[in-house]
Amino acid sequence: MTRWQSDPILTVEHLTMRFGGLVAVDDLSFTVGRGDITAIIGPNGAGKTTVFNCITGFYKPTEGRIAIALDKADPPTMDRLTASGARLSADRNILLLDRMPDFEIARDAKVARTFQNIRLFGGMTVLENLFVAQHNKLMVASNYTIGGIFGLASYRKGQAAALERAKYWLEHIDLIERADDPAADLPYGDQRRLEIARAMCTEPRLLCLDEPAAGLNPRESAQLNKLLRFIRDEHGISVLLIEHDMGVVMEISDHIVVLDYGEKISDGAADAVRNDPKVIAAYLGVEDEEVDAVEQEVMQ
Ligand SMILES: Nc1ncnc2c1ncn2[C@@H]1O[C@H](COP(=O)(O)OP(=O)(O)OP(=O)(O)O)[C@@H](O)[C@H]1O
């Protein structure tokens, strides 16, 4: 059994998102395996970003359930939780993201996200960008008081740990030499990796990346692949990404979910999805009736 079947960290069930009369996501169900790199792919307008916006709390889904399981997911517990109207199960193992505002999804469920367009603080240094990402943790260490910031040993310890974490990620994205430069001065590919490092400084459980390879040259794409593999293999973090660059998707994904017009048309390992006639048809833009013909061609 695959990890997305036996140990899902994220379970999306019957997710529907309507904007007026437009159904952007239509009864979508899929899971994300713990420790897997999972890609959501599909043609423009397929609903990928809308799915991300529902998972990260930017949109409240019209219908459906989105659950994070800290440890092994247990469907009966999930059902009891849904029926109870609460957002956290009694055993504190399952969180229902569709019932949480975005800041709680980031803070409590530990879902981190990057966006299609780069959202670094361009005027701040590279190091400062990684430091501000840890603001929440530092505020906890200060006991949320000014006295804490100036006096508490826990704050000083938290500050030292935040710096260590920032340094660690700068070393792993090969930007330690640029730590004091403004983030806006970095080449585009470096800025993309810095955004991912910034998300990693929040110590997420699930890292959601919206088109991380967009605009990268082949060398930068290779660096990105290496970083994402490192995050999965050395840190065991589950990664969910939206990506149009099929080179990146096929090379690093353990699991691929394909959307078209808001519906799931394929779901499986890279090889299965790559050869799925429905996926080929969606990308080539042929009509439904022509899928059979495409299937025949692929099989030959
Ligand atoms: N806030 C919104 N209000 C109205 N319609 C929206 C909204 N957000 C998305 N849509 C529509 O929902 C559909 C899915 O859009 P979405 O951005 O999720 O697709 P996508 O697969 O991410 O596309 P792309 O690959 O081009 O980024 C599109 O028809 C889009 O116009």
Side-chain angles (χ1 to χ4, degrees):
M1 222 199 279
T2 62
R3 266 198 295 222
W4 66 88
Q5 291 162 328
S6 64
D7 186 15
I9 186 167
L10 182 80
T11 304
V12 174
E13 288 173 315
H14 304 293
L15 178 70
T16 294
M17 185 74 214
R18 291 193 199 97
F19 298 106
L22 182 111
V23 188
V25 178
D26 191 4
D27 195 24
L28 172 69
S29 299
F30 69 95
T31 54
V32 171
R34 195 179 308 278
D36 274 353
I37 296 179
T38 306
I40 305 182
I41 65 169
N44 288 335
K48 306 178 293 294
T49 303
T50 304
V51 172
F52 255 43
N53 284 337
C54 290
I55 293 171
T56 52
F58 279 59
Y59 293 154
K60 175 116 190 63
T62 315
E63 281 166 43
R65 180 163 78 176
I66 306 172
I68 282 257
L70 276 46
D71 201 352
K72 280 236 171 196
D74 167 44
T77 308
M78 229 186 272
D79 290 342
R80 274 197 302 278
L81 177 59
T82 303
S84 75
R87 60 180 68 160
L88 176 66
S89 59
D91 62 0
R92 309 184 73 78
N93 184 37
I94 296 170
L95 284 148
L96 290 186
L97 305 189
D98 51 283
R99 292 183 177 168
M100 297 166 70
D102 55 358
F103 70 93
E104 283 188 5
I105 291 176
R107 188 191 63 193
D108 302 338
K110 292 186 166 289
V111 176
R113 169 190 192 165
T114 67
F115 292 83
Q116 258 173 37
N117 49 339
I118 288 182
R119 294 194 184 184
L120 290 168
F121 300 109
M124 284 187 177
T125 68
V126 167
L127 178 66
E128 281 167 342
N129 268 276
L130 299 192
F131 209 69
V132 291
Q134 303 179 67
H135 169 79
N136 269 345
K137 246 185 259 157
L138 285 173
M139 287 315 288
V140 172
S142 75
N143 218 3
Y144 296 92
T145 62
I146 183 106
I149 291 176
F150 289 112
L152 278 182
S154 61
Y155 185 79
R156 284 196 300 277
K157 232 170 109 185
Q159 219 174 7
L163 266 177
E164 265 314 300
R165 208 170 287 118
K167 201 168 137 247
Y168 172 88
W169 283 107
L170 285 183
E171 275 161 1
H172 281 93
I173 58 172
D174 296 322
L175 286 181
I176 195 80
E177 305 293 326
R178 310 278 321 248
D180 298 327
D181 295 341
D185 286 359
L186 295 179
Y188 187 76
D190 289 350
Q191 291 193 29
R192 280 264 174 221
R193 291 203 319 290
L194 179 59
E195 272 200 313
I196 295 173
R198 185 173 67 173
M200 286 307 296
C201 279
T202 66
E203 303 193 299
R205 197 168 271 132
L206 175 67
L207 178 63
C208 297
L209 307 172
D210 196 346
E211 297 198 35
L216 301 188
N217 63 37
R219 189 182 57 84
E220 292 169 332
S221 285
Q223 285 175 316
L224 173 74
N225 287 357
K226 193 172 142 219
L227 174 63
L228 296 183
R229 283 205 184 99
F230 174 76
I231 287 171
R232 175 191 62 189
D233 299 340
E234 300 302 319
H235 288 264
I237 302 300
S238 315
V239 179
L240 178 64
L241 56 103
I242 296 176
E243 192 45 73
H244 281 289
D245 184 329
M246 287 304 135
V248 170
V249 169
M250 295 298 167
E251 206 180 314
I252 65 169
S253 306
D254 300 294
H255 176 200
I256 302 175
V257 175
V258 192
L259 302 187
D260 194 20
Y261 294 108
E263 290 183 30
K264 185 169 85 174
I265 57 166
S266 190
D267 182 338
D271 272 347
V273 164
R274 194 199 322 252
N275 296 317
D276 187 335
K278 277 200 185 131
V279 177
I280 298 165
Y283 274 92
L284 293 178
V286 301
E287 299 296 328
D288 282 354
E289 311 82 73
E290 294 173 51
V291 170
D292 280 348
V294 174
E295 196 162 28
Q296 301 280 326
E297 276 172 39
V298 172
M299 297 305 175
Q300 276 167 17

